């Protein structure tokens, strides 16, 4: 169920990396590729009264898999974003508690 929410990265850019990225992340997380969701947020960024390009930022929402897996997840994701010619990217993780996550009204705990 890892959800990756992209800001400051275009739909076309995410399309280019989506297949190899999700394959590598699924292997790392030991889950199927269809467990992943990629969302590209169409945002307008403003600085000093002008529209500016957004800084690449990815939020990952998931269940905790430990620091080692999280670090490797960030490394893999960063490598794929860098392959697009994007020199810098920030990644932040939001962890869901299984008792607070529901599918069709049933808790994951």
């Amino acid at each position: 169920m890892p959800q990756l929410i992209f800001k400051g990265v275009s739909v076309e850019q995410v399309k280019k990396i989506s297949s190899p990225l999700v394959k590598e992340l699924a292997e790392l997380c030991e889950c199927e590729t269809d467990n992943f969701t990629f969302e590209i947020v169409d945002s307008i960024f403003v600085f000093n009264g002008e529209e500016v390009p957004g800084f690449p930022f990815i939020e990952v929402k998931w269940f905790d898999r430990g620091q080692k897996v999280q670090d490797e997840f960030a490394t893999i994701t960063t490598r794929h974003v860098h392959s697009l010619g994007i020199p810098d990217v920030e990644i932040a993780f939001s962890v869901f508690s299984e008792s607070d996550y529901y599918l069709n009204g049933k808790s994951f705990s």
Side-chain angles (χ1 to χ4, degrees):
M1 63 69 53
Q3 302 172 1
L4 287 79
I5 302 168
F6 294 80
K7 295 180 183 178
V9 183
S10 73
V11 171
E12 290 307 313
Q13 288 173 313
V14 175
K15 284 180 180 179
K16 287 179 185 176
I17 62 171
S18 63
S19 293
L21 174 58
V22 86
K23 181 180 178 189
E24 212 171 328
L25 294 177
E27 288 175 16
L28 173 68
C29 294
E30 299 177 352
C31 65
E32 298 298 321
T33 56
D34 64 354
N35 288 24
F36 289 80
T37 302
F38 285 13
E39 177 182 353
I40 299 91
V41 178
D42 186 21
S43 299
I44 298 171
F45 295 85
V46 176
F47 178 75
N48 203 22
E50 300 291 327
E51 285 187 30
V52 296
F55 188 83
F57 180 84
I58 302 168
E59 181 181 7
V60 180
K61 296 181 178 187
W62 69 343
F63 296 126
D64 184 28
R65 289 174 167 82
Q67 191 64 51
K68 183 178 178 184
V69 172
Q70 180 174 300
D71 291 347
E72 185 63 20
F73 194 106
T75 298
I76 291 167
T77 304
T78 298
R79 180 171 33 83
H80 282 274
V81 172
H82 283 172
S83 76
L84 296 168
I86 297 172
D88 296 306
V89 60
E90 292 180 359
I91 301 173
F93 290 82
S94 296
V95 177
F96 290 123
S97 167
E98 290 183 358
S99 64
D100 295 330
Y101 196 93
Y102 291 75
L103 175 64
N104 297 324
K106 296 189 182 194
S107 173
F108 270 46
S109 61

